[in-house]
Amino acid sequence: MILPIDPANKLSFKRCIKDGDLVIVYERHDTMKAVKVSEDGVLQNRFGAFKHSEWIGKPFGSKVLSNKGSFVYLLAPTAELWTLVLSHRTQILYIADISFVVMYLEIVPGCSVLESGTGSGSLTTSLARAVAPTGHVYTFDFHEQRAASAREDFEKTGLSNLVTVGVRDIQGEGFPDEFCGRADSVFLDLPQPWLAIPSAGKMLKPDGILCSFSPCIEQVRRSCDALKSHFTDIRTFEVLLRTYEVRQKILERCPVNEEDSNKCPPRKRRQGSAEGSNGNECSSSPTVVIRPSGEARGHTGYLTFARLKCFV
């Protein structure tokens, strides 16, 4: 469960793995998978066979061995990790955009949030955690099978008491009237969000906030035009995340005569080089090298936020 709740109604991961729990198996930095623990279950991967029975009773974060002596880590299923391992039924939002959305929508425990569309449920999972334990997320998708799959995922991750999944064409029909004036925040991820903005405005409480996610700037322009009549503080952001790789390298340093004005910089050790071939001894030392990652994500989409005007 992404939100395990103890008898005191507090969120906590300070517990041991039990039969039926969802566990994130960390194989390496770019390979993780979600596994439901069962007494007679076995995880097979390139590192060998891992018996689930040996996981039960261990705390989250434990290192467990396979029959070949290799190991994996058993991690608690947080919303961030679930975003990285869930099935992609549609293009999903990732951590940088999600954290920005949760902050700017001012979502706190107890909030009521409307979302359309659900897609793979990546953002929905984080919204549910943000409103827990007393709030609720009502999410809608026009595609019935996608909605059913998302509902199954929320059951699996223990969020079904915080999330209600509905099937509805929000662009064409708008949000259900039962939510009129009840929502603290509304999130739209639609091809034509400007069609749903009038309905979203009716759902929001006074001073409520709307966010629309769009991959194209033309969608942003049309959405902003639709927002002007009933919303204020309209702002659009593009979140660009640049990651860096931190590696330890062995650098070779050779002595240089003091009178030599052209001092050579440290260099990487070359495999197979003859030590002392130039008559000088070279010393080696481990050095941390930091460089931008070659796999950094670029543009994902534009996030447009607006606050409902308070009419007196």
Side-chain angles (χ1 to χ4, degrees):
M1 290 172 53
I2 284 179
L3 290 172
I5 300 177
D6 64 19
N9 200 34
K10 295 180 181 178
L11 306 180
S12 173
F13 277 118
K14 294 180 180 179
R15 64 184 183 89
C16 296
I17 298 170
K18 299 181 297 185
D19 186 17
D21 277 351
L22 181 70
V23 173
I24 305 298
V25 179
Y26 180 100
E27 297 179 355
R28 44 177 287 170
H29 76 280
D30 59 351
T31 308
M32 291 182 288
K33 62 185 65 174
V35 176
K36 188 171 183 179
V37 178
S38 60
E39 184 69 43
D40 56 351
V42 178
L43 170 66
Q44 295 274 1
N45 61 19
R46 58 180 174 170
F47 300 114
F50 297 85
K51 294 182 179 179
H52 291 194
S53 58
E54 297 177 0
W55 301 358
I56 297 173
K58 293 184 180 295
F60 284 107
S62 295
K63 175 180 177 180
V64 294
L65 301 178
S66 71
N67 60 334
K68 296 181 179 180
S70 297
F71 63 89
V72 296
Y73 291 98
L74 307 178
L75 305 182
T78 64
E80 290 79 9
L81 292 178
W82 181 250
T83 290
L84 299 177
V85 301
L86 58 76
S87 300
H88 289 199
R89 294 178 287 273
T90 60
Q91 179 62 38
I92 71 169
L93 268 70
Y94 286 95
I95 295 170
D97 286 323
I98 290 173
S99 57
F100 201 86
V101 167
V102 172
M103 177 180 176
Y104 269 81
L105 283 181
E106 301 177 2
I107 298 174
V108 296
C111 279
S112 178
V113 181
L114 298 182
E115 179 194 23
S116 181
T118 310
S120 298
S122 172
L123 174 64
T124 317
T125 299
S126 290
L127 294 177
R129 185 180 63 177
V131 304
T134 56
H136 205 87
V137 178
Y138 300 90
T139 182
F140 299 89
D141 201 293
F142 77 94
H143 194 282
E144 190 168 348
Q145 182 55 51
R146 276 206 300 261
S149 298
R151 203 175 289 115
E152 291 175 6
D153 282 348
F154 298 139
E155 288 280 353
K156 184 190 306 181
T157 54
L159 297 177
S160 56
N161 61 324
L162 295 167
V163 180
T164 299
V165 183
V167 179
R168 190 177 177 93
D169 178 12
I170 299 300
Q171 283 187 174
E173 304 174 58
F175 289 98
D177 292 338
E178 64 188 272
F179 298 108
C180 188
R182 291 177 49 194
D184 295 284
S185 307
V186 173
F187 180 83
L188 303 176
D189 184 0
L190 301 169
Q192 298 175 296
W194 54 89
L195 297 178
I197 286 173
S199 173
K202 295 176 182 177
M203 302 301 115
L204 285 168
K205 297 176 182 178
D207 203 40
I209 305 174
L210 175 146
C211 176
S212 175
F213 175 86
S214 298
C216 303
I217 199 66
E218 177 60 21
Q219 293 169 306
V220 174
R221 185 189 66 78
R222 297 193 64 174
S223 296
C224 289
D225 285 341
L227 288 166
K228 288 179 182 177
S229 58
H230 291 90
F231 288 82
T232 185
D233 195 22
I234 302 170
R235 291 182 286 175
T236 296
F237 301 90
E238 181 185 23
V239 181
L240 299 177
L241 181 66
R242 188 177 190 185
T243 59
Y244 279 75
E245 295 176 350
V246 180
R247 297 285 186 271
Q248 189 177 67
K249 299 286 186 181
I250 302 297
L251 297 184
E252 192 176 82
R253 298 175 181 272
C254 296
V256 180
N257 295 330
E258 293 182 0
E259 62 273 12
D260 188 353
S261 59
N262 298 319
K263 294 184 178 181
C264 60
R267 64 189 180 194
K268 295 180 183 178
R269 174 186 289 175
R270 294 181 181 177
Q271 297 294 331
S273 61
E275 294 186 3
S277 59
N278 60 356
N280 295 321
E281 292 186 1
C282 296
S283 62
S284 300
S285 61
T287 302
V288 173
V289 177
I290 304 173
R291 64 180 182 183
S293 172
E295 299 179 359
R297 298 182 187 278
H299 170 79
T300 55
Y302 301 102
L303 295 168
T304 299
F305 294 87
R307 189 179 296 273
L308 186 67
K309 291 179 181 178
C310 294
F311 296 97
V312 181

